[in-house]
Amino acid sequence: MRSIKFNGILQEIFENPNNNTRDTVELLQSRLRLPQDKAEILASRIEKHYLQTMLMSVNDNTKQPPLRIVTEKPSDTKQPQQHLQRRANSYVFESLSNKEFEIFTKWVLQELGYNVFPDKISTFLGVDYLATKEGLNVVILARKYPISYLVSKAAVFMAQQAKCNYQCEHAIILTTTVFSDKAKLYAENCGVELWDVQKFEEKILEVKNSTEFVDPFVFPTFKGTLLDSLLMLGEHKKFLIEKRVGEKYDVFFPGVNFPLLTFQVQNAQVVRLVYRIKYNESVGENDGEALINCDRNGTISHGPNDVDAYAQVLEYLEQFLE
């Protein structure tokens, strides 16, 4: 199989390891002058095709992609199908962008009591975290791999090296799939802790149960402006707020890989606010229900006042906490 080469806009997309789906959408909109809904569809197809192409290159004897180093095809072809069946009602990590995966895993680790350092090391389909817990320095390798692949012994070796390089006492590999038997044995011998997809989901459930029991969430009251109040939501860990280019913000709920709502700011005022979940399905920004809308000049064309708008947003978000 020939090696993978990209040029033009594809090269620009994939040469930046920090790109996420929304960055790709905005780049396609800008460079190809596409409407947002079309750009979202194209971005999804590009990323899906790219990942499939990378996986097809795993058995290539020429230059190998990074995925080849740390994953392997299972020898038992029944195993992936059985695992997929087990995950029918589990988290679908494959649909998360790299940035979404990073936000989600960091939130889980923090809720589990890890003090995650601000600095991180971005990697292919994942991120390395440096953290402390109970007086120990810990390096955590978080990796998002397809569920049909096994994480090999090589990944454990990488974690062992990272523990030495970052001068940590402990190392953890967190992944969205399972480990090979050789990887498990090697990890046991060298003291690397493994969180496969099942254990990771157990950790997520642990966080969910503890936060619901110990720290019942109360929405912050309206303060200042609608923008001030919306940004306060991100300070309480129940919701994640990510800023995009063009003064746009996406509001996420941990575990939901698509924005719950998107709002746009102009001159410190929310000029557009769109609900992104419709009939229990995620929709594009142009297809969502607009609570606040504006014309091309950024002048609000319709929408309630700030206090009423915030109350309606809280009513909408409350359904995701039930």
Side-chain angles (χ1 to χ4, degrees):
M1 182 178 292
R2 55 194 174 91
S3 60
I4 305 168
K5 293 182 179 179
F6 298 105
N7 52 40
I9 193 169
L10 287 179
Q11 183 177 4
E12 188 173 346
I13 290 171
F14 294 122
E15 279 187 346
N16 185 354
N18 296 318
N19 264 350
N20 59 39
T21 303
R22 288 176 299 287
D23 294 330
T24 303
V25 169
E26 291 169 4
L27 180 62
L28 292 171
Q29 280 185 281
S30 173
R31 294 283 297 276
L32 302 181
R33 298 182 180 180
L34 292 174
Q36 175 139 355
D37 57 341
K38 301 296 184 184
E40 288 175 346
I41 293 172
L42 181 57
S44 176
R45 289 178 178 175
I46 288 173
E47 292 186 355
K48 181 179 180 181
H49 176 72
Y50 173 67
L51 182 57
Q52 289 176 343
T53 305
M54 292 292 286
L55 295 181
M56 289 172 62
S57 301
V58 168
N59 293 322
D60 187 3
N61 291 324
T62 60
K63 184 179 179 181
Q64 302 294 344
L67 193 63
R68 176 68 176 91
I69 300 173
V70 294
T71 62
E72 59 186 46
K73 283 280 192 177
S75 56
D76 181 2
T77 56
K78 294 181 180 179
Q79 182 179 3
Q81 293 301 322
Q82 293 172 348
H83 202 57
L84 285 170
Q85 290 174 6
R86 186 196 68 77
R87 293 199 60 213
N89 296 315
S90 303
Y91 289 88
V92 186
F93 297 110
E94 293 93 333
S95 60
L96 294 177
S97 71
N98 288 359
K99 185 64 176 178
E100 291 163 346
F101 180 70
E102 176 188 318
I103 292 171
F104 183 61
T105 51
K106 183 178 180 180
W107 172 78
V108 171
L109 291 169
Q110 288 175 328
E111 292 297 323
L112 288 171
Y114 291 89
N115 179 26
V116 180
F117 295 158
D119 293 338
K120 62 184 184 302
I121 302 89
S122 296
T123 67
F124 183 75
L125 293 179
V127 62
D128 290 351
Y129 295 109
L130 300 180
T132 59
K133 185 177 182 181
E134 299 175 353
L136 292 178
N137 296 317
V138 185
V139 58
I140 303 164
L141 279 61
R143 297 293 183 267
K144 181 171 66 73
Y145 295 127
I147 193 62
S148 57
Y149 277 70
L150 301 177
V151 178
S152 72
K153 174 182 174 181
V156 182
F157 179 73
M158 290 170 60
Q160 190 180 25
Q161 279 191 319
K163 183 171 70 171
C164 296
N165 292 341
Y166 300 139
Q167 298 181 335
C168 295
E169 292 84 34
H170 191 53
I172 298 172
I173 305 178
L174 176 165
T175 186
T176 56
T177 184
V178 294
F179 294 91
S180 69
D181 291 338
K182 290 181 180 179
K184 294 176 185 177
L185 180 61
Y186 187 54
E188 184 177 351
N189 291 335
C190 66
V192 173
E193 186 175 352
L194 303 183
W195 294 7
D196 63 9
V197 63
Q198 184 173 358
K199 185 167 184 178
F200 185 35
E201 288 174 346
E202 290 172 357
K203 295 288 186 181
I204 296 169
L205 183 61
E206 178 184 333
V207 167
K208 188 173 183 290
N209 290 338
S210 64
T211 54
E212 287 180 353
F213 181 75
V214 177
D215 185 23
F217 180 73
V218 178
F219 283 106
T221 57
F222 181 88
K223 184 177 181 180
T225 65
L226 176 59
L227 175 60
D228 296 331
S229 302
L230 290 174
L231 293 178
M232 280 194 300
L233 291 172
E235 299 175 2
H236 292 260
K237 295 186 179 180
K238 280 292 184 180
F239 296 95
L240 304 171
I241 299 179
E242 182 179 345
K243 186 177 181 181
R244 295 162 48 190
V245 297
E247 289 297 311
K248 289 185 178 181
Y249 295 80
D250 288 329
V251 178
F252 293 88
F253 183 71
V256 178
N257 61 28
F258 206 81
L260 305 183
L261 63 86
T262 296
F263 61 92
Q264 184 174 357
V265 177
Q266 185 169 307
N267 298 324
Q269 181 182 20
V270 177
V271 295
R272 191 165 188 266
L273 190 151
V274 180
Y275 298 146
R276 301 288 299 276
I277 306 293
K278 190 174 183 180
Y279 305 121
N280 294 323
E281 296 289 339
S282 58
V283 296
E285 189 177 334
N286 292 336
D287 298 322
E289 178 186 348
L291 176 64
I292 301 172
N293 216 340
C294 63
D295 58 26
R296 293 184 177 180
N297 297 320
T299 303
I300 296 177
S301 57
H302 73 263
N305 61 51
D306 280 10
V307 175
D308 290 342
Y310 186 63
Q312 292 184 46
V313 167
L314 297 191
E315 184 178 354
Y316 166 77
L317 293 177
E318 192 171 12
Q319 64 184 306
F320 299 99
L321 299 177
E322 295 176 353

